[in-house]
Amino acid sequence: MRRNKCKKSSSSSSSSSSTISSVSYIPEEILIDILARLPAESLLRFRCVSQSWRGLIGSPSFVSKHLNRNVTKLSHTYLIALQRLRDKPALCHSLFSTETFEECLKLRHPLWTEEQFRIYGSSNGLVCISDQVLRPSSPICIWNPCIRKFRTLPQSIFKPHYSSYDISLSFGFHPELNDYRVVTMGWYVRSVIKVQVYSLSTGSWKMIEVIPPWLKFNPDWCQGCAFFNGVAYWLFTKSKKFRFVSFDTDSEEFEEIIVPDTISTKGFTYVGVYNGLVCLFYSYLEGPDCQKPQKYMDIWVLKEQSFTKLHTAVLLPGRDYLPLGFSIQNELIAKDKKHTKGDEGDTGQMVLYDLEMKLIKKTGISLAHDSHYKTSAGTYIESLVLLNR
Amino acid sequence: MSRVFKLKSSDNETFEVEEAAALLSETIKSSSSTEITVPNVKAEILGKVVEWCNKHAESEDTKDQLIKEWDAEFVSVDQHVLFKLITAADYLQIKELVDQLTQRVGDMIKAKTLKTVEMTYPTFNVEREVQEELKSLGF
């Protein structure tokens, strides 16, 4: 099967003739293959080589190919974290190598200083950022830091006259529709809930009109939220019980999923995505006689609308980890909270915990709290998404 | 009894290749004849491709460290030779060889400045938006 675009080798003379004429033209498919292996920074620069390269690199098919290659081969992936620096600014979001844990890029956004934004989701090279404390007027940006392109979302449709007491934000990719979505849920006084969905393809917000009555239970607290495969998930606490809600951004339907009784509000929970499944991370103390309780960590995954326990790990005494996310290799990204004697240097550092093999990797990255005591960390895969939008 | 394939270069030299090595090429696999002419590829280049195929046919474990080292040395050639090898491997559809060669080019290209890239990959209508583009991206 011969490809049409292959041009003949231009040189029959010796290779000592000028560089341009002695070089063979490479078939376009091979050129695409070569370019798809490059880091985003190189590709940005090579857009300036010529019009045809510019067109090629910016084309939706190339952007997809480049991203898919990174996802399947796990190349050009990073850890993204809010780190603590010794000099000013004291906090900085940065990208770190997944192998050496060295800082590769500081993330600076024109609308916020380093210390003031929070990352609410990371997907396919895009991160969604906004204020550390969300208000109805908080600006929201979808940003690709490695190509320095961002889209500021239009102001939300709903302009409340009364105060909100909790707004949650989640961001992610909808693979079937090749669309990136932001979902906000705001709880206001007098049991008013406002759910809005932003789609990157349409560039606009949609207010969800139909809210099922069972949803108006006035949660005490939103423990966490996540977005996966076009569906947004929230974990709420209400009267010392958990309530887990999902919202499909296509069908616009809400569903409640029962949280097993063993997951108690006394422990610590975190909502995330583990190995392609929505999961609940749950850590708790347990032990005979409660004399010397041990710290446990469980991962419960959501399969067919119910949670099943996948892994359990017991921590060494004195050790405690705050979960922050999952790495591209499905390790738990966590903050080392306590220290044992002689190990004080590890406090507040990022560790990667392989839950299956029960192995811990220390990264040496010092993690910081933002001004509202939230630490953030996750995974970042390079892509060219947003390049030509 | 394994078959022997004959590969003919554009300058009329013939290489005899054992079945195991020859079938690494999809083009040869789907060919009805055991005699294949490879247009636009000279003996020097075709010979190297045959060498690669022979090496990869005889060792079963492609993840072997020795093979990896051999492969790394194989692709450490001049740009001209590299591109000609790509053309040949592409025509013969030897996926793994194309993969290794393109990876090598990718690695070489990463560090290059714009001007050098332009010289190496000549295309049409070179437009000089360099300064503006780089400035607008904050580089």
Side-chain angles (χ1 to χ4, degrees):
Chain A
M1 177 189 72
R2 200 75 179 84
R3 291 181 195 86
N4 301 332
K5 300 231 169 107
C6 180
K7 299 182 184 98
K8 282 190 183 174
S9 168
S10 62
S11 156
S12 50
S13 54
S14 72
S15 51
S16 60
S17 51
S18 82
T19 38
I20 294 182
S21 63
S22 67
V23 166
S24 320
Y25 283 88
I26 301 180
E28 186 169 301
E29 281 187 38
I30 301 279
L31 181 64
I32 292 173
D33 195 348
I34 295 171
L35 293 177
R37 292 159 196 266
L38 300 179
E41 197 199 321
S42 299
L43 290 170
L44 276 188
R45 288 158 57 225
F46 297 156
R47 285 172 86 220
C48 310
V49 167
S50 72
Q51 276 292 71
S52 65
W53 276 45
R54 187 190 181 87
L56 173 64
I57 293 172
S59 69
S61 64
F62 181 77
V63 172
S64 277
K65 190 177 165 84
H66 177 256
L67 171 63
N68 287 334
R69 192 179 179 279
N70 285 348
V71 169
T72 41
K73 308 259 177 182
L74 300 184
S75 63
H76 305 305
T77 64
Y78 299 89
L79 290 167
I80 193 173
L82 182 64
Q83 67 165 331
R84 183 176 62 211
L85 300 171
R86 273 186 232 120
D87 312 311
K88 278 218 161 185
L91 311 176
C92 183
H93 284 96
S94 304
L95 294 181
F96 298 88
S97 151
T98 48
E99 262 136 60
T100 64
F101 309 119
E102 279 171 350
E103 187 192 63
C104 297
L105 182 68
K106 283 190 161 67
L107 305 185
R108 295 197 171 103
H109 193 278
L111 296 179
W112 285 270
T113 68
E114 281 104 350
E115 300 156 275
Q116 290 172 349
F117 66 84
R118 181 177 295 166
I119 296 175
Y120 288 91
S122 165
S123 177
N124 293 350
L126 298 179
V127 293
C128 179
I129 61 176
S130 187
D131 294 333
Q132 287 167 7
V133 174
L134 292 169
R135 293 183 183 84
S137 56
S138 293
I140 304 172
C141 262
I142 294 177
W143 181 30
N144 186 333
C146 67
I147 65 171
R148 290 165 232 217
K149 292 260 179 179
F150 64 92
R151 169 94 63 95
T152 307
L153 271 53
Q155 278 290 303
S156 79
I157 305 167
F158 180 63
K159 298 205 191 321
H161 302 296
Y162 29 79
S163 58
S164 63
Y165 67 88
D166 192 48
I167 299 182
S168 67
L169 192 149
S170 51
F171 166 75
F173 182 55
H174 192 310
E176 275 156 46
L177 300 178
N178 197 25
D179 188 23
Y180 295 88
R181 297 188 168 171
V182 176
V183 180
T184 60
M185 182 190 271
W187 295 84
Y188 302 84
V189 298
R190 287 188 241 131
S191 302
V192 174
I193 313 169
K194 290 292 171 188
V195 179
Q196 295 182 79
V197 181
Y198 173 85
S199 146
L200 191 65
S201 310
T202 65
S204 60
W205 285 100
K206 184 175 184 196
M207 179 71 75
I208 304 303
E209 302 297 339
V210 182
I211 308 276
W214 58 261
L215 190 55
K216 302 188 182 187
F217 56 81
N218 285 335
D220 301 327
W221 189 247
C222 178
Q223 191 64 32
C225 60
F227 189 98
F228 186 65
N229 267 352
V231 182
Y233 299 89
W234 295 269
L235 181 69
F236 296 112
T237 48
K238 175 76 181 176
S239 312
K240 298 198 181 157
K241 284 220 153 83
F242 280 123
R243 301 200 57 178
F244 194 82
V245 177
S246 75
F247 174 70
D248 185 326
T249 56
D250 280 337
S251 63
E252 295 183 12
E253 278 171 16
F254 290 89
E255 266 182 50
E256 178 163 6
I257 297 156
I258 308 291
V259 175
D261 286 332
T262 35
I263 302 179
S264 123
T265 50
K266 286 188 198 149
F268 179 86
T269 47
Y270 168 83
V271 188
V273 178
Y274 176 78
N275 205 9
L277 294 168
V278 173
C279 76
L280 281 182
F281 171 97
Y282 174 55
S283 82
Y284 54 99
L285 291 170
E286 204 171 88
D289 307 324
C290 300
Q291 281 292 325
K292 277 189 182 173
Q294 289 219 280
K295 191 117 199 193
Y296 286 79
M297 300 197 309
D298 289 350
I299 294 274
W300 293 71
V301 290
L302 182 64
K303 274 186 196 167
E304 282 154 31
Q305 305 300 87
S306 71
F307 283 103
T308 32
K309 197 196 292 199
L310 193 63
H311 297 301
T312 302
V314 184
L315 295 181
L316 293 173
R319 289 234 158 263
D320 196 8
Y321 299 115
L322 176 72
L324 302 171
F326 291 99
S327 76
I328 209 99
Q329 270 115 349
N330 296 313
E331 297 150 315
L332 177 74
I333 303 173
K335 183 172 180 175
D336 203 335
K337 284 204 297 185
K338 285 189 188 160
H339 57 270
T340 49
K341 274 187 209 164
D343 242 347
E344 281 87 351
D346 292 333
T347 311
Q349 296 213 340
M350 187 200 280
V351 297
L352 298 175
Y353 195 114
D354 183 330
L355 296 146
E356 222 180 318
M357 307 301 289
K358 318 278 191 264
L359 296 170
I360 301 179
K361 243 187 253 177
K362 291 189 185 174
T363 65
I365 300 170
S366 289
L367 294 172
H369 291 297
D370 63 24
S371 54
H372 293 270
Y373 296 100
K374 192 157 192 307
T375 317
S376 61
T379 311
Y380 180 79
I381 301 180
E382 260 194 18
S383 83
L384 300 173
V385 182
L386 273 195
L387 185 58
N388 275 332
R389 297 213 207 190
Chain B
M1 173 57 176
S2 84
R3 290 180 291 169
V4 171
F5 289 80
K6 293 195 175 138
L7 297 184
K8 203 163 157 193
S9 71
S10 60
D11 46 357
N12 286 323
E13 215 179 297
T14 308
F15 294 86
E16 289 197 351
V17 191
E18 294 272 333
E19 187 167 7
L23 294 185
L24 290 174
S25 152
E26 288 295 323
T27 310
I28 296 178
K29 238 190 198 169
S30 50
S31 158
S32 42
S33 133
T34 54
E35 285 189 22
I36 294 112
T37 310
V38 189
N40 297 321
V41 179
K42 293 217 176 127
E44 184 202 335
I45 300 296
L46 190 55
K48 282 190 78 73
V49 175
V50 169
E51 195 192 331
W52 188 95
C53 290
N54 285 333
K55 184 77 180 179
H56 278 252
E58 76 188 22
S59 19
E60 283 149 16
D61 184 11
T62 48
K63 290 201 165 70
D64 184 18
Q65 190 56 32
L66 289 173
I67 282 273
K68 278 194 170 167
E69 282 171 14
W70 189 91
D71 283 340
E73 243 195 82
F74 183 85
V75 298
S76 307
V77 290
D78 267 354
Q79 237 164 260
H80 316 298
V81 179
L82 199 55
F83 293 162
K84 287 176 185 166
L85 282 171
I86 289 180
T87 313
D90 180 50
Y91 179 84
L92 289 169
Q93 292 185 68
I94 306 169
K95 190 179 181 309
E96 212 204 305
L97 179 56
V98 173
D99 219 45
Q100 287 178 12
L101 294 166
T102 48
Q103 185 61 48
R104 170 82 183 139
V105 179
D107 293 338
M108 284 165 71
I109 207 178
K110 254 189 274 193
K112 283 192 187 289
T113 60
L114 282 168
K115 209 165 179 188
T116 324
V117 171
E118 193 194 304
M119 296 276 289
T120 319
Y121 298 95
T123 47
F124 339 97
N125 303 327
V126 176
E127 297 230 338
R128 297 305 198 132
E129 298 163 6
V130 179
Q131 297 302 329
E132 286 167 26
E133 179 77 32
L134 291 178
K135 263 197 199 149
S136 76
L137 290 170
F139 280 108

